């Protein structure tokens, strides 16, 4: 059988993992700096936990896991016509578990189950893979890592301001320069649906608007019509979401358009307050822009929403998030508000590769290779190897007696910077021949001096 990978998944080589770990460490250290604590949740969640949280389209992208054994047995026992049954009715009978779609919903479930042991507001970060049955394309995978940070148990807009500061610091530390942090508010979008005469259709409108970068304004119009939004409402909507200007101009424009919508005006006030808090931190973030067309397709957002795009790379958003007022209420804990952000590591990785932003990494995990000519010198080499490792020097010994040329070829193939050569003279004198594989310099030294030379 010819080996292959499922579409939308990838293997990672040692050099690629070095780069990914570099991203992880920067994000993790900044999360900790902002006082977020780590948690982890299982790969598998009950399907009932995940469904109904991501909208109809999101629910279709959840990877379901078939029940063990004869997963059709329950359907057969109920004499269900499997040929004609609605798939939505069949699904609960054959699948009870699923791979997690994101980290936010499992986090909400975690909070509800552990509420007696949590100090609120609870600040957590989580770095784990998620799975989506999406159509693979550039920057879109079926298995990918998310780096999430959430604050739950407070509706203070200081949290939104800190999230913006955290986004800024992560991206600047990674070396990204030409990016834009977009912010909007779901209450503004609710206000817009109200004043265009499409109240109650917010989910449909947000799902369509969220695709504006992929399908364009004409595509959005077509989808809105398919979702049974009246044409007169669409004609009022398009000029609003198309409006451009600086943050002050956009706020003034929204006040004018939403002056008859209380929820819309509340959304504007929330954005103004977030901008004021950021100003109080005395940090300039010129990349922060209000974008009326920013919708975020997930159905659980209720307040501020964020998205980040790199402007000089061919990639969609690399970061997204927002405020959710009652996600825990779906699991029986009402009135617990939260806000969070998620960094898409795969997309960040691809952008940094495209822009050549990764630093140079050591090309080998080994600093030293010990080579030898026979069994006695191999035994001598093992003792030196133990001493090097006790001094925390990454070292290895060639695993079998071979021609010295072959051992050197191995060192070159792995880019090992130092090679120790052990022969009869070295064994008798308790010395080593140390060769610097980069400069070509070679010295005969006492074995006790190895550490000083390599250091």
């Amino acid at each position: 059988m010819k080996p292959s990978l499922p579409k939308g998944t990838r293997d990672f080589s040692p050099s690629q993992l070095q780069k990914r770990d570099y991203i992880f460490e920067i994000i993790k250290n900044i999360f900790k700096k902002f006082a977020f604590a780590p948690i982890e949740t299982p790969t598998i969640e009950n399907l009932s936990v995940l469904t109904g949280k991501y909208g109809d389209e999101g629910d279709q992208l959840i990877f379901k896991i078939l029940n063990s054994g004869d997963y059709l047995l329950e359907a057969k026992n109920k004499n269900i016509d499997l040929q004609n049954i609605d798939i939505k009715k069949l699904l609960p009978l054959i699948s009870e578990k699923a791979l997690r779609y994101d980290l936010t919903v499992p986090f909400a479930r975690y909070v509800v189950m552990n509420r007696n042991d949590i100090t609120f507001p609870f600040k957590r970060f989580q770095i784990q893979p998620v799975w989506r049955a999406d159509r693979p394309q550039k920057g879109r995978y079926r298995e990918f890592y998310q780096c999430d940070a959430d604050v739950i148990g407070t509706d203070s807009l200081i949290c939104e301001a800190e999230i913006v500061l955290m986004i800024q610091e992560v991206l600047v530390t990674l070396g990204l320069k030409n990016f834009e942090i977009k912010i909007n508010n779901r209450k503004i979008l609710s206000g817009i649906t109200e004043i265009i005469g499409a109240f109650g259709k917010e989910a449909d409108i947000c799902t369509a608007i969220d695709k504006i970068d992929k399908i364009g304004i004409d595509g959005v119009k077509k989808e809105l019509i398919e979702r049974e939004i009246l044409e007169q409402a669409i004609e009022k909507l398009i000029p609003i979401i198309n409006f451009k200007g600086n943050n002050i101009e956009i706020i003034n424009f929204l006040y004018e358009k939403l002056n008859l919508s209380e929820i819309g005006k509340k959304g504007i006030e929330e954005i103004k307050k977030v901008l004021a808090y950021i100003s109080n931190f005395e940090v300039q973030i010129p990349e922060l822009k209000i974008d009326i067309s920013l919708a975020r397709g997930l159905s659980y957002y209720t307040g501020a929403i964020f998205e980040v795009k790199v402007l000089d790379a061919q990639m969609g958003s690399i970061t997204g998030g927002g405020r959710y007022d009652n996600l825990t209420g779906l699991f029986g804990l009402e009135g617990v508000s939260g806000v969070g952000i998620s960094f898409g590591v795969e997309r960040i990785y691809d952008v940094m590769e495209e822009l050549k932003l990764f630093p140079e990494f050591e090309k080998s995990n080994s600093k030293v290779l010990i080579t030898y000519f026979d069994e006695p010198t191999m035994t001598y080499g093992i003792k030196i190897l133990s001493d090097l490792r006790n001094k925390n020097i990454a070292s290895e010994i060639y695993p079998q007696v071979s021609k010295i040329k072959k051992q050197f070829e191995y060192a070159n193939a792995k880019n090992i910077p130092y090679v120790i050569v052990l022969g009869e003279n070295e064994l008798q004198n308790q010395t080593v021949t140390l060769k610097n594989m980069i400069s070509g310099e070679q010295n005969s030294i006492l074995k006790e001096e190895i550490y000083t030379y390599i250091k």
Side-chain angles (χ1 to χ4, degrees):
M1 184 181 70
K2 184 178 179 181
S4 62
L5 281 171
K7 288 183 178 180
T9 65
R10 296 184 288 176
D11 289 324
F12 294 101
S13 67
S15 62
Q16 289 171 319
L17 282 176
Q18 275 186 312
K19 295 174 181 178
R20 286 166 63 82
D21 287 343
Y22 173 76
I23 297 171
F24 287 139
E25 282 304 308
I26 285 175
I27 293 174
K28 187 188 299 183
N29 289 335
I30 291 172
F31 282 168
K32 288 179 178 179
K33 178 179 173 180
F34 279 74
F36 288 81
I39 69 162
E40 288 192 356
T41 59
T43 295
I44 300 170
E45 291 280 351
N46 287 322
L47 184 57
S48 58
V49 166
L50 302 179
T51 51
K53 317 301 188 301
Y54 309 110
D56 290 340
E57 292 189 7
D59 282 354
Q60 292 174 25
L61 301 182
I62 295 172
F63 270 112
K64 288 85 175 177
I65 300 172
L66 291 175
N67 293 341
S68 301
D70 188 351
Y71 56 84
L72 288 174
L73 184 61
E74 188 175 350
K76 292 174 183 175
N77 289 342
K78 293 184 178 180
N79 295 317
I80 291 172
D81 181 2
L82 297 177
Q83 297 295 324
N84 301 307
I85 189 173
D86 183 342
I87 187 64
K88 290 184 179 179
K89 293 180 180 177
L90 178 63
L91 188 59
L93 301 176
I94 66 174
S95 175
E96 298 171 354
K97 308 287 190 299
L99 300 178
R100 60 172 173 251
Y101 176 92
D102 73 350
L103 299 178
T104 307
V105 171
F107 172 55
R109 190 263 312 148
Y110 172 92
V111 169
V112 174
M113 292 182 68
N114 295 276
R115 58 183 179 263
N116 295 327
D117 301 317
I118 288 173
T119 300
F120 292 101
F122 180 46
K123 303 177 75 172
R124 86 81 170 85
F125 77 84
Q126 197 170 345
I127 299 177
Q128 288 186 276
V130 300
W131 291 265
R132 294 183 188 177
D134 213 342
R135 184 171 64 87
Q137 53 188 290
K138 182 177 179 181
R140 191 178 294 273
Y141 304 97
R142 287 177 171 169
E143 179 186 55
F144 56 96
Y145 267 80
Q146 287 187 334
C147 299
D148 280 24
D150 289 74
V151 186
I152 199 162
T154 176
D155 56 8
S156 170
L157 297 175
I158 288 177
C159 300
E160 274 85 338
E162 287 208 297
I163 278 175
V164 172
L165 297 177
M166 199 157 56
I167 293 171
Q168 169 83 2
E169 185 164 347
V170 165
L171 299 184
V172 169
T173 306
L174 287 170
L176 294 165
K177 295 175 182 176
N178 192 17
F179 60 88
E180 195 169 74
I181 305 172
K182 297 181 179 181
I183 184 171
N184 198 12
N185 194 294
R186 273 295 181 89
K187 294 182 179 71
I188 290 173
L189 293 167
S190 294
I192 292 171
T193 62
E194 187 179 351
I195 61 114
I196 67 173
F199 190 71
K201 290 282 191 176
E202 182 191 339
D204 289 316
I205 289 174
C206 285
T207 301
I209 294 174
D210 190 47
K211 301 174 184 176
I212 195 167
D213 287 342
K214 302 174 196 169
I215 62 179
I217 200 70
D218 291 333
V220 170
K221 286 181 184 178
K222 182 180 178 183
E223 179 152 339
L224 289 169
I225 291 169
E226 289 172 355
R227 291 176 176 271
E228 300 181 352
I229 307 298
L230 297 175
E231 286 196 33
Q232 63 217 44
I234 297 172
E235 291 305 313
K236 293 178 183 177
L237 172 69
I238 300 305
I240 296 175
I241 63 173
N242 266 344
F243 182 82
K244 305 298 179 188
N246 61 40
N247 290 344
I248 295 173
E249 289 168 342
I250 291 173
I251 287 172
N252 291 336
F253 171 78
L254 288 172
Y255 270 128
E256 179 187 335
K257 290 293 181 182
L258 303 180
N259 66 323
L260 296 178
S261 171
E262 290 304 317
I263 190 168
K265 287 190 288 186
K266 187 174 182 184
I268 302 168
E269 287 299 320
E270 287 183 3
I271 279 191
K272 282 182 64 180
K273 200 162 188 177
V274 171
L275 296 178
Y277 279 136
I278 292 171
S279 177
N280 290 339
F281 277 102
E282 298 183 349
V283 176
Q284 295 295 318
I285 305 185
E287 297 86 359
L288 181 61
K289 306 285 174 60
I290 300 171
D291 184 347
I292 305 173
S293 68
L294 176 61
R296 303 287 299 165
L298 299 179
S299 60
Y300 53 68
Y301 292 128
T302 55
I305 44 179
F306 310 97
E307 194 166 272
V308 177
K309 292 193 175 178
V310 178
L311 303 178
D312 50 3
Q314 299 299 311
M315 185 62 69
S317 65
I318 61 170
T319 305
R323 165 75 61 177
Y324 43 91
D325 279 341
N326 198 29
L327 190 53
T328 58
L330 298 170
F331 305 114
L333 182 60
E334 298 286 343
V336 179
S337 184
V339 63
I341 195 72
S342 179
F343 291 94
V345 171
E346 319 304 332
R347 290 189 173 190
I348 291 173
Y349 178 98
D350 288 347
V351 166
M352 291 182 66
E353 278 281 65
E354 182 180 336
L355 300 178
K356 297 179 171 49
L357 293 177
F358 284 108
E360 285 292 323
F361 296 101
E362 290 187 7
K363 294 181 180 179
S364 173
N365 289 327
S366 296
K367 276 221 177 266
V368 182
L369 174 68
I370 297 172
T371 65
Y372 48 87
F373 288 89
D374 50 28
E375 288 288 337
T377 49
M378 180 182 72
T379 302
Y380 177 42
I382 289 173
K383 293 177 182 177
I384 293 172
L385 179 67
S386 295
D387 188 49
L388 289 173
R389 287 178 177 167
N390 287 336
K391 290 182 170 66
N392 290 318
I393 296 174
S395 314
E396 59 182 299
I397 189 168
Y398 198 79
Q400 62 197 52
V401 177
S402 297
K403 291 182 179 179
I404 204 72
K405 179 183 177 184
K406 184 176 181 180
Q407 297 180 59
F408 267 75
E409 287 173 349
Y410 175 82
N412 281 325
K414 290 191 68 177
N415 292 296
I416 299 173
Y418 291 96
V419 171
I420 288 174
V421 182
L422 302 176
E424 186 177 343
N425 286 340
E426 284 81 11
L427 177 59
Q428 287 179 353
N429 299 319
Q430 293 294 287
T431 60
V432 304
T433 297
L434 179 67
K435 181 169 184 177
N436 185 320
M437 298 294 285
I438 299 169
S439 67
E441 183 183 356
Q442 186 168 301
N443 293 289
S444 178
I445 60 175
L446 295 172
K447 65 176 183 174
E448 293 80 14
E449 296 177 316
I450 298 172
Y451 179 74
T452 303
Y453 268 80
I454 292 173
K455 185 183 176 183

